[in-house]
Amino acid sequence: MKSYIELKNVKKTYEIGNQKYNALDGIDLEINQGEFVVILGPSGAGKSTLLNLLGGLDKATSGSIKIGENDIAKYNDKELTRYRAHEVGFIFQFYNIMPTLTVEENINLIKDVTNTCKDSKEVLKSVGLLKHANKFPSELSGGEQQRVSIARAIMKNPKVLLCDEPTGALDSETGVEVLKLLREQSDEDTTVIIVTHNTMISEIADRIIKIKNGKVESNEINKHPKKIEEVKW
Amino acid sequence: MLYRKMWRDIKNNLSQFITIFLMIMIGIMAYSGIESYMDGMTNTAKKFYKENNLQDVNVLGLMTKDDLNQIKEMNHVKDAELKLSLTATTNKNKTLLLNVIETNNISKFYIMDGEEFQKNSSGVWLDNFYAEENNIKVGDTILVKYESMKLQEEVKGLINVPDHLYDVRDSSELYPDRKEFGFAYISSSEIPESYIKNMISKEKNIEEELIDQIIPNFNYKDYIPWNSIMVDIDQKKNRDGVKNKIEDEIKNAKAIINIEDTSSYVTYQGEIDEGKTYVGVFSGIFLFIAMLSVITTMSRLIRKERVQIGTLKALGFTNRRILFHYIGYGLWISLLATIIGLILGYFVIGKIFINLEMSFFEIPNGKPSMNNTSYFVSLIAILMVCFITYKTGKSILKENPAETLRTKIPKVNGKTLNITKKKIFKKLHFESIWNIRDILRNKMRTFMGVAGVVGCCMLIVCALGMLDSMNFFVKLQFETLYHFDYKLNLKENLNTEELKELYDKYGKNTSKSLGIEIKNKKGIRESNNIFVTDASNYVRFVNRKNEIIPKPKDNGVYITYKLAEKEGYKIGDKITWHIYGEDKYYESKIIGFNKDPQNQNITMTRNYLESLKIDYIPDSLYTNKNLENKKEIKNVETIQNIDNLKEGMEEMLSMMKTMLVLIIGIAILLGTIIIYNLGVLSYAEKEYQFATLKVLGFEDKQIKNIFTKQNNWIAIISIIIGLPLGYYLTDWLFKTAIEEHYDFGASITVRTYIIAAIGTFIVSYIVSKVLSRKIKNIDMVTSLKGNE
Ligand SMILES: Nc1ncnc2c1ncn2[C@@H]1O[C@H](COP(=O)(O)OP(=O)(O)OP(=O)(O)O)[C@@H](O)[C@H]1O
Ligand SMILES: [Mg+2]
């Protein structure tokens, strides 16, 4: 089976003064469609950098990043914008939702960038926020805020869902709820990639990728992913 | 260490610090510049008046040597001098106000070139401006003619004189025409005996040759028809006493006029008084707007340092150290800005304005002068900036460090935004909702933005509106009221035959001006004048609405609105007056009001005057005959062309234009900086949200639209507020700032409103366009990392 995401010798180099620093130092990766992937690694390893490249937020210095048929490493700004609009959903540690828009408005935002949207009420229902639809983000708990950002991400029916420490700011109980939602997405054939420090999460993953010093240390398939309920947090 | 941090912070927020710097600098520059210009005007004149011993009182009438000696003897009189002023012409047909004097200790010449005045010296001392305009140098010879007298005089000196700062040929001219009209001084020894003899023979009807025989010991010098005495009084407080004494004892004295009531003095002082209002209004508004935005920017800058303040505190720095550190920001920047502002204000604004005035008023050594108010205002500005940094820093320090250090999602006060959840808003697109809420959340910033743009728009309306109003005034005066092509100023007391000759040639549309004193309702006497018209519709009158009053009636007098308001006269009231030099009082019924832009006085018809048994001998004649090639008309003092009168006005307008262009320039500059600054502030706050939108796949264009939308709204709202405010400001300026004898109001054309509206909008639009270019360069990764 041909993999859905394919990275070849991807490098990201930062220049600080005259010094060059490789945040990513030749990444090779393959990920299949619909997989639930967890990326692990010590702080500063390059996890976020990798995720940003996958999400089209940043450009690789060299190498190729194939998503489906297309090499997004070759995309120009306009194509990257379109890619972000139609194909990826992003979820951040600090939610990044618009503080002055209500929950529902935050989600409806997506209608401005793509027309393959789901129904907002349905999405809200699926993340359990229907009764909060008319509230402002600051009137919600942390977990609820993160669910808003998940709802916003899945609203556009993305092919890939990228999450940078989605549970980092949550207590374990709410963290579980969020993970459950994300897992459901991958079960519906969306590729879900999660960056985390929490090794427990890897127990429910289909694939576990370890990054160290800008390189892939290991890339393993988890033959027997556990159900979320089975994991002890 | 903290110092290094300060400079690094300043470097990192360079554009903000630069705008703070510029706003303070421009505000102070505008304020202190205009202030130093006004003070420069005052001090320049004060110095000139004092050093050149401006007369205190001018006694008018046919004066004699005896009168002079009598006045000199009076208590408190330091000195007095005789003077004869004649309206003479030159061989080039220019008009010269020829002054004949014996000595020059009062209203002394300021010699620009040439030699000092000597008693009994030959030669002429000439108006320096007039000489410049006509390219006359010391040593040249000019020919001066008055009636039968023809004087060929060498120019001995070019001079300024303290009672000739401003001279117009005729009160219907506002702007002095230096090429056509000037003043000159000669010694009384230059008056030829033949002229005096000729004069006496005409007056007494005796042959010139017989004068020596008829009048024993005839010395022509005793017969010089002096027409005024300049009096120098030791102290201001003694002036009324001296005046009363002269009135009682000197029979020849027809009128005793304070120097402060003469046109040169009044016009100069009026310029200062008007200017004083501009100081208060224009530069006050500048400074106010500038300080408003400096304060917002400064407090935002400090607020941005929240986390750092918390860190410093956590590291164990004392509150005092931290506060001093942040006050340093405000202190250094505002200190530097005010110093440069003061310097530029003096050398740029002050100099430019003073030089403009000095081309209008003939006064030497005009220079701006910095006064304490400017220093005081600068100090206040610095203190304000320091205070606001102190206040903001203090409020942050009150939080506990743990709280400060915790980054949190910006708090949204649901209550204030709840209205925007209502039905009608549901229909709006998210861009609009987002912007509305952003405005509601940042009321202060929005208010500042609106205030800045309103101020900018208002100043443009006002500056252009003043020009419009002046143009309107010129039209009213020279097309509606003055409905003739030429005005002939007739010689005094022409007899019936001489008049008839003129009537036959030029028609009989005439008028007469009477110097009078009004005794008002409280019994106080005030000098004024009556315009007696027999000019049918050559000179017309209008009501408040600028509609022509068809035909003035003969059963009473008309007075101007402003005079009526000042004295509380109503239609049907009686007004009490007497002619200068006569004792008989008249009571006239007020039958109507008229509006006169330049002169607050009484108007009556010839028929009414004659019904009071007063002789009507006209002093002006109006005609539409073409007199283009006429240089001289018998029995006519001067010929004035309406176009020349108008040109004079327009020249004054062009001077005003220069000033107004400067004001508009500063307004736009200030407006731009304020809009830009607030734009930067609001952009900085939203950058993180824009980055999020970008991640979500919004195109740059969409995001730019969201951003510019708000600025456009602010601009439009501000323009809607600014236009009418501009009108009221202009009207208020005209009503309060202008001298008492003017009656102007704002009369602003639609064009001005359109220019101001479009101009303001374009400024705002360009600024937000420039700012929105930043959106393209948002680095999603970095801006999302610093989640604040
Ligand atoms: N804009 C930048 N300029 C220079 N170096 C950078 C920049 N962004 C990231 N780096 C460096 O790249 C490396 C990888 O950063 P990255 O954010 O990907 O780490 P990470 O694995 O996500 O770490 P963490 O778990 O702490 O979030 C780090 O060493 C970081 O210092
Ligand atoms: Mg990271």
Side-chain angles (χ1 to χ4, degrees):
Chain A
M1 177 180 145
K2 197 174 177 300
S3 49
Y4 180 60
I5 299 176
E6 203 179 301
L7 279 72
K8 279 213 182 100
N9 198 20
V10 172
K11 289 190 180 175
K12 177 72 190 175
T13 312
Y14 288 112
E15 278 181 46
I16 307 160
N18 302 332
Q19 293 221 313
K20 288 194 176 173
Y21 177 79
N22 287 334
L24 294 182
D25 197 10
I27 298 268
D28 294 299
L29 258 188
E30 287 181 10
I31 292 168
N32 295 327
Q33 182 153 18
E35 274 183 333
F36 190 89
V37 184
V38 164
I39 299 181
L40 295 170
S43 184
K47 306 182 296 290
S48 297
T49 309
L50 176 61
L51 207 65
N52 290 340
L53 292 185
L54 285 172
L57 302 190
D58 210 353
K59 282 183 184 170
T61 314
S62 65
S64 76
I65 305 170
K66 274 204 172 155
I67 312 280
E69 295 301 309
N70 306 311
D71 184 357
I72 66 164
K74 295 204 171 67
Y75 275 4
N76 62 21
D77 281 347
K78 221 178 166 113
E79 290 165 324
L80 277 178
T81 304
R82 216 165 39 230
Y83 166 70
R84 287 197 303 270
H86 299 292
E87 300 190 28
V88 279
F90 238 103
I91 293 160
F92 301 94
Q93 178 176 2
F94 295 109
Y95 331 129
N96 288 32
I97 38 188
M98 309 298 259
T100 54
L101 295 181
T102 62
V103 171
E104 193 174 358
E105 287 162 353
N106 255 293
I107 289 162
N108 277 330
L109 260 188
I110 299 304
K111 289 182 178 164
D112 271 37
V113 294
T114 173
N115 38 28
T116 59
C117 285
K118 294 185 185 169
D119 180 59
S120 62
K121 289 274 186 303
E122 215 125 277
V123 172
L124 280 176
K125 206 165 136 197
S126 72
V127 297
L129 282 176
L130 203 50
K131 58 177 185 292
H132 297 309
N134 213 15
K135 277 188 177 172
F136 286 112
S138 65
E139 295 164 333
L140 299 176
S141 74
E144 286 164 342
Q145 289 185 30
Q146 191 59 297
R147 277 189 272 157
V148 175
S149 98
I150 292 173
R152 184 178 66 187
I154 61 180
M155 176 78 180
K156 67 170 91 157
N157 232 335
K159 302 219 174 62
V160 187
L161 206 53
L162 303 170
C163 320
D164 199 347
E165 315 236 14
T167 58
L170 303 174
D171 63 56
S172 57
E173 215 167 304
T174 28
V176 170
E177 285 173 34
V178 165
L179 286 172
K180 219 166 162 181
L181 269 171
L182 293 174
R183 179 76 233 192
E184 279 168 21
Q185 297 310 310
S186 86
D187 293 344
E188 283 169 26
D189 221 24
T190 304
T191 311
V192 178
I193 304 176
I194 298 178
V195 164
T196 183
H197 280 121
N198 189 342
T199 42
M200 305 276 263
I201 298 177
S202 54
E203 293 184 34
I204 61 165
D206 297 323
R207 184 189 288 273
I208 301 155
I209 299 171
K210 288 192 175 146
I211 306 276
K212 202 174 175 184
N213 291 329
K215 289 194 165 78
V216 178
E217 196 185 37
S218 68
N219 180 353
E220 297 161 359
I221 305 244
N222 184 2
K223 297 253 168 53
H224 306 290
K226 286 185 181 166
K227 285 245 161 64
I228 291 180
E229 293 77 23
E230 296 165 7
V231 181
K232 281 202 172 149
W233 302 94
Chain B
M1 220 30 224
L2 280 182
Y3 261 106
R4 200 182 295 165
K5 172 181 173 312
M6 181 166 104
W7 289 117
R8 208 165 284 158
D9 283 345
I10 290 180
K11 236 163 80 192
N12 289 340
N13 295 299
L14 198 60
S15 71
Q16 304 253 295
F17 276 105
I18 286 177
T19 43
I20 290 184
F21 178 84
L22 283 180
M23 281 186 291
I24 300 178
M25 192 193 82
I26 293 173
I28 292 289
M29 177 179 85
Y31 186 86
S32 71
I34 297 181
E35 185 88 8
S36 76
Y37 143 61
M38 289 326 309
D39 265 43
M41 289 277 287
T42 311
N43 292 341
T44 304
K46 234 185 217 160
K47 185 161 169 261
F48 187 43
Y49 289 159
K50 186 152 181 263
E51 287 178 359
N52 292 58
N53 197 21
L54 177 67
Q55 59 192 300
D56 294 303
V57 163
N58 204 12
V59 184
L60 301 179
L62 203 61
M63 312 303 290
T64 65
K65 273 261 160 66
D66 291 337
D67 296 330
L68 177 73
N69 291 331
Q70 216 177 327
I71 290 177
K72 274 187 173 173
E73 293 296 300
M74 288 177 183
N75 265 343
H76 304 299
V77 172
K78 263 165 63 186
D79 199 1
E81 283 179 350
L82 285 162
K83 183 157 114 180
L84 166 63
S85 302
L86 306 168
T87 306
T89 49
T90 69
N91 54 338
K92 297 221 174 75
N93 224 354
K94 320 247 165 183
T95 312
L96 271 184
L97 182 69
L98 184 66
N99 298 282
V100 183
I101 54 175
E102 292 180 310
T103 50
N104 181 229
N105 295 321
I106 301 176
S107 291
K108 273 193 281 198
F109 303 164
Y110 181 91
I111 310 280
M112 306 294 288
D113 193 12
E115 59 190 63
E116 301 272 336
F117 181 82
Q118 301 283 326
K119 205 174 167 176
N120 295 333
S121 152
S122 69
V124 63
W125 280 259
L126 197 58
D127 178 343
N128 184 51
F129 272 4
Y130 173 83
E132 270 177 15
E133 286 283 333
N134 289 291
N135 208 10
I136 299 170
K137 304 260 173 332
V138 172
D140 291 356
T141 307
I142 59 168
L143 184 82
V144 187
K145 291 182 290 188
Y146 180 78
E147 290 180 349
S148 69
M149 174 163 63
K150 278 203 172 75
L151 301 168
Q152 189 87 32
E153 298 283 354
E154 185 193 334
V155 177
K156 284 285 177 65
L158 302 181
I159 52 170
N160 288 174
V161 182
D163 45 12
H164 294 287
L165 304 192
Y166 166 93
D167 264 325
V168 286
R169 196 157 22 175
D170 178 273
S171 64
S172 52
E173 281 176 18
L174 269 187
Y175 191 87
D177 185 349
R178 257 70 197 232
K179 204 172 165 73
E180 296 299 319
F181 180 71
F183 61 84
Y185 280 78
I186 56 171
S187 160
S188 58
S189 61
E190 289 301 285
I191 301 270
E193 184 166 5
S194 58
Y195 168 72
I196 301 291
K197 281 192 168 163
N198 176 277
M199 189 186 78
I200 295 172
S201 88
K202 262 198 200 161
E203 230 165 68
K204 309 212 161 149
N205 238 334
I206 40 177
E207 298 274 324
E208 268 179 57
E209 294 73 37
L210 298 175
I211 289 177
D212 286 319
Q213 299 160 26
I214 295 174
I215 304 173
N217 299 331
F218 175 78
N219 179 356
Y220 80 93
K221 283 192 176 155
D222 297 336
Y223 291 86
I224 294 177
W226 303 109
N227 53 20
S228 70
I229 291 178
M230 301 185 282
V231 186
D232 183 15
I233 296 167
D234 59 356
Q235 277 176 322
K236 272 265 144 72
K237 63 171 199 236
N238 299 323
R239 187 164 64 182
D240 281 343
V242 173
K243 275 174 74 181
N244 285 336
K245 203 153 180 205
I246 295 174
E247 196 172 359
D248 292 344
E249 295 178 8
I250 311 289
K251 281 224 190 60
N252 287 331
K254 281 263 167 63
I256 305 159
I257 294 170
N258 288 345
I259 192 67
E260 290 85 353
D261 294 334
T262 57
S263 85
S264 168
Y265 194 102
V266 165
T267 312
Y268 191 87
Q269 192 57 40
E271 192 75 9
I272 295 174
D273 294 340
E274 272 166 40
K276 286 246 163 80
T277 319
Y278 299 145
V279 175
V281 177
F282 279 120
S283 53
I285 291 178
F286 280 147
L287 194 58
F288 177 71
I289 298 172
M291 286 319 288
L292 274 186
S293 24
V294 166
I295 288 170
T296 11
T297 316
M298 203 69 210
S299 88
R300 299 241 167 194
L301 262 176
I302 303 290
R303 238 165 242 296
K304 244 170 92 179
E305 294 278 302
R306 233 172 118 255
V307 179
Q308 299 217 39
I309 291 178
T311 315
L312 288 175
K313 203 172 162 189
L315 289 176
F317 282 93
T318 61
N319 282 359
R320 252 183 54 160
R321 281 263 327 264
I322 298 175
L323 276 178
F324 273 121
H325 168 67
Y326 283 100
I327 289 172
Y329 283 40
L331 179 67
W332 293 119
I333 206 111
S334 55
L335 191 67
L336 196 65
T338 42
I339 290 173
I340 295 178
L342 284 171
I343 293 173
L344 288 182
Y346 183 91
F347 285 104
V348 178
I349 308 273
K351 273 265 159 73
I352 289 176
F353 276 55
I354 281 272
N355 288 344
L356 272 173
E357 293 286 0
M358 292 304 120
S359 66
F360 185 75
F361 292 105
E362 190 159 11
I363 181 166
N365 305 323
K367 57 167 187 280
S369 74
M370 200 52 98
N371 74 350
N372 292 336
T373 338
S374 293
Y375 296 127
F376 183 69
V377 166
S378 304
L379 188 70
I380 297 276
I382 295 173
L383 287 179
M384 241 158 83
V385 173
C386 291
F387 180 72
I388 211 74
T389 41
Y390 170 79
K391 234 5 214 189
T392 321
K394 188 112 183 166
S395 78
I396 294 170
L397 280 172
K398 269 211 203 106
E399 301 173 11
N400 80 46
E403 185 80 8
T404 318
L405 287 174
R406 214 178 67 201
T407 52
K408 51 187 174 187
I409 177 166
K411 230 190 158 57
V412 173
N413 185 346
K415 272 195 200 116
T416 51
L417 298 184
N418 268 342
I419 37 157
T420 57
K421 288 185 188 168
K422 296 263 159 60
K423 278 248 170 58
I424 40 162
F425 290 100
K426 281 256 153 64
K427 297 245 166 19
L428 290 175
H429 194 247
F430 99 89
E431 289 173 22
S432 303
I433 293 188
W434 184 81
N435 272 310
I436 290 172
R437 292 194 185 135
D438 190 60
I439 287 172
L440 287 174
R441 277 185 70 207
N442 294 285
K443 290 196 198 72
M444 199 58 192
R445 190 192 68 214
T446 310
F447 173 76
M448 297 290 174
V450 170
V453 185
V454 164
C456 175
C457 177
M458 214 165 96
L459 288 173
I460 297 177
V461 170
C462 184
L464 292 175
M466 281 168 88
L467 271 184
D468 282 348
S469 308
M470 292 303 284
N471 281 326
F472 177 82
F473 153 71
V474 171
K475 246 186 110 160
L476 178 69
Q477 183 73 66
F478 296 103
E479 282 171 30
T480 310
L481 300 182
Y482 289 177
H483 195 54
F484 52 80
D485 291 343
Y486 288 91
K487 178 183 180 193
L488 308 180
N489 297 306
L490 308 181
K491 297 208 163 142
E492 266 177 58
N493 294 324
L494 298 182
N495 60 36
T496 332
E497 252 138 69
E498 289 167 324
L499 283 172
K500 188 165 179 305
E501 202 178 316
L502 285 167
Y503 291 165
D504 289 344
K505 274 195 195 140
Y506 305 110
K508 47 200 301 187
N509 296 294
T510 58
S511 74
K512 174 186 180 65
S513 285
L514 277 174
I516 60 158
E517 259 184 341
I518 297 175
K519 199 197 274 175
N520 72 10
K521 291 181 165 171
K522 292 190 201 100
I524 299 165
R525 293 185 307 180
E526 277 178 31
S527 59
N528 204 304
N529 63 76
I530 295 180
F531 184 81
V532 188
T533 172
D534 188 24
S536 64
N537 75 337
Y538 278 65
V539 177
R540 302 188 289 197
F541 304 92
V542 293
N543 62 20
R544 260 273 131 102
K545 289 183 198 140
N546 302 314
E547 296 159 347
I548 293 168
I549 300 170
K551 189 175 174 357
K553 296 199 178 63
D554 295 334
N555 58 340
V557 299
Y558 292 80
I559 66 172
T560 57
Y561 289 98
K562 229 177 154 179
L563 179 64
E565 276 157 23
K566 188 174 147 230
E567 301 289 351
Y569 289 120
K570 286 186 214 44
I571 289 183
D573 284 0
K574 290 262 159 83
I575 187 163
T576 314
W577 54 276
H578 80 103
I579 298 174
Y580 256 124
E582 290 175 20
D583 297 334
K584 184 170 182 336
Y585 274 91
Y586 300 90
E587 275 201 344
S588 298
K589 199 172 107 187
I590 297 169
I591 55 171
F593 295 140
N594 70 306
K595 171 175 156 183
D596 190 325
Q598 294 195 65
N599 203 349
Q600 303 316 312
N601 65 349
I602 301 178
T603 300
M604 60 173 66
T605 60
R606 172 184 185 164
N607 290 342
Y608 180 72
L609 182 81
E610 284 173 345
S611 79
L612 300 174
K613 306 269 174 316
I614 304 172
D615 277 344
Y616 176 82
I617 304 167
D619 56 21
S620 307
L621 189 150
Y622 309 92
T623 181
N624 288 340
K625 288 256 154 58
N626 187 353
L627 302 178
E628 220 172 301
N629 303 316
K630 281 266 189 221
K631 296 279 182 227
E632 229 173 312
I633 296 174
K634 200 175 148 207
N635 291 323
V636 171
E637 194 101 45
T638 49
I639 308 170
Q640 285 176 313
N641 181 340
I642 187 97
D643 292 329
N644 291 346
L645 293 177
K646 221 156 110 184
E647 266 165 34
M649 269 310 293
E650 271 152 13
E651 229 169 297
M652 187 166 83
L653 289 183
S654 82
M655 183 177 98
M656 225 169 101
K657 266 180 209 157
T658 325
M659 292 201 183
L660 295 179
V661 164
L662 213 65
I663 291 174
I664 294 176
I666 296 181
I668 290 177
L669 186 64
L670 199 68
T672 310
I673 294 174
I674 287 170
I675 297 170
Y676 181 81
N677 179 47
L678 290 163
V680 170
L681 283 179
S682 88
Y683 176 82
E685 278 164 23
K686 289 169 200 151
E687 185 171 26
Y688 153 76
Q689 296 191 47
F690 291 153
T692 307
L693 288 177
K694 222 170 160 171
V695 171
L696 292 179
F698 277 78
E699 285 170 29
D700 291 347
K701 216 167 66 197
Q702 286 174 294
I703 304 175
K704 280 180 187 174
N705 273 342
I706 299 173
F707 179 66
T708 38
K709 198 170 216 172
Q710 190 178 128
N711 288 355
N712 290 345
W713 286 355
I714 289 183
I716 288 168
I717 290 170
S718 308
I719 289 167
I720 291 171
I721 301 171
L723 293 180
L725 281 184
Y727 172 85
Y728 287 117
L729 177 66
T730 317
D731 202 46
W732 180 80
L733 275 176
F734 272 127
K735 294 233 162 90
T736 54
I738 249 163
E739 280 167 57
E740 221 173 50
H741 61 264
Y742 290 112
D743 185 1
F744 286 181
S747 172
I748 301 177
T749 58
V750 178
R751 206 187 61 165
T752 290
Y753 290 121
I754 292 174
I755 292 176
I758 292 179
T760 310
F761 190 79
I762 286 179
V763 168
S764 153
Y765 187 77
I766 289 176
V767 170
S768 48
K769 271 280 161 207
V770 168
L771 279 172
S772 70
R773 293 234 307 265
K774 290 184 167 199
I775 286 165
K776 193 168 182 288
N777 300 323
I778 289 181
D779 178 359
M780 285 171 277
V781 179
T782 0
S783 39
L784 291 178
K785 226 190 252 169
N787 173 21
E788 243 249 277

